Amino acid sequence: MRPADACDNEVMKMQITPFLAFDADPFDPFAALRRLRPDAARGIPASDRAGAFPAVNLWQGADSIAVTAEIPGVAPADIDITVHDDRVVISGERRGPEADDEAVWLRRERAYGRFSRAIRLPYRVDPDRVEARFQDGVLRIELQRPEADKPRRIHIASA
Amino acid sequence: MSTEIRETEESTAAEPVRGDRDTPVFRPRADIREGKGGVTLTLEMPGVGPEGVDIDLDRRVLTIRGRGRVTRPEGFRQAYAEYAEGDYERVFTLSEEIDEAAIRAGMANGVLTLELPRAEAAKPRRIEVRAG
């Protein structure tokens, strides 16, 4: 069991290589991610897995990324999201039950305290176009690739 | 005097089992704390709303089920996964000391809180001895 006030502060380590020789689509920034953890979540119960908090899933859109995270027991007001370049940081605090000297723990599987997690995205995102929603303990953030950074097909003019 | 809450054996499987909705069924993390008035049970069920919780008490077997919502952002495909979504189920066996009729439940931010008050008869009582 993890100590109550020691939520992991861990930066997700992802190696993103922009150009990979054997990728079907050399402009697919998620290709390296998919290869990294081909079936990370298959068959693993979410509630029994130790690791960084909060656990995140990443979603790939046309020119956008969605990050979903399980943060049960935290009020939306206690969650902070900051976006800078290709990095999104989810931090906050999960408050424990009120101190009660007479109360006895019969079972303690949940962790309380401050948490912070930085997630490196496959590309830079526009910090002015970030949407975040929180429902039933699940956070969902949608981030957009800046117009100027989108890959462009270059037309070769015939001589 | 300690209130006993035991977990029913068959519910402790570490592997997720397939429910009738063809989604994995997880065993939610739980905190159980005993205070003066009774026991407080909290269960983590992210993705479950108040309408998705089912609490069943059969004799002293307390079964908690949560129906999870699947988050699949439209126009997106999954690129990386650390957690899987599904339903939740966990079974507890209550001792006789709980006042079953007075159990209160609340669901907020994906966490279910159950207040299990101690039955009146089980509360310690001071017996006064009068001089004859």
Side-chain angles (χ1 to χ4, degrees), chain B residues 33 48 93 127:
Chain B
R33 212 159 89 116
V48 177
T93 305
I127 311 293

Side-chain angles (χ1 to χ4, degrees), chain A residues 58-101:
Chain A
L58 283 185
W59 305 78
Q60 162 186 19
D63 275 301
S64 52
I65 304 164
V67 178
T68 56
E70 286 189 330
I71 319 178
V74 180
D78 288 335
I79 300 175
D80 283 318
I81 301 160
T82 55
V83 176
H84 182 67
D85 287 337
D86 64 346
R87 196 169 279 245
V88 51
V89 178
I90 302 166
S91 59
E93 184 175 6
R94 175 146 69 182
R95 298 170 196 277
E98 282 166 38
D100 181 354
D101 292 340

Side-chain angles (χ1 to χ4, degrees), chain B residues 10-125:
Chain B
E10 61 265 35
S11 70
T12 56
E15 289 295 308
V17 289
R18 290 265 153 196
D20 50 8
R21 288 212 303 155
D22 198 36
T23 52
V25 179
F26 300 113
R27 181 165 152 266
R29 277 180 195 272
D31 270 359
I32 304 171
R33 212 159 89 116
E34 185 184 12
K36 253 189 239 162
V39 169
T40 305
L41 173 66
T42 56
L43 285 154
E44 278 183 14
M45 298 192 285
V48 177
E51 70 292 335
V53 184
D54 184 38
I55 302 160
D56 183 66
L57 190 62
D58 183 11
R59 291 175 187 236
R60 292 198 300 275
V61 178
L62 180 70
T63 305
I64 295 146
R65 288 190 190 89
R67 189 174 275 252
R69 195 185 307 99
V70 176
T71 314
R72 193 152 291 151
E74 212 173 306
F76 288 86
R77 66 181 173 121
Q78 193 148 25
Y80 174 83
E82 288 180 349
Y83 69 89
E85 293 173 317
D87 295 343
Y88 301 88
E89 185 177 320
R90 199 157 172 180
V91 181
F92 299 92
T93 305
L94 308 180
S95 73
E96 291 172 86
E97 296 161 11
I98 298 297
D99 182 359
E100 294 173 5
I103 293 175
R104 280 181 297 139
M107 186 80 192
N109 299 318
V111 173
L112 173 72
T113 304
L114 277 177
E115 303 279 354
L116 311 166
R118 183 172 296 132
E120 280 300 319
K123 284 183 183 164
R125 255 176 298 177

Side-chain angles (χ1 to χ4, degrees), chain A residues 34-49:
Chain A
R34 278 195 298 272
R35 223 185 5 257
L36 196 69
R37 300 279 290 267
D39 44 14
R42 198 166 297 162
I44 304 168
S47 50
D48 281 335
R49 196 177 41 245

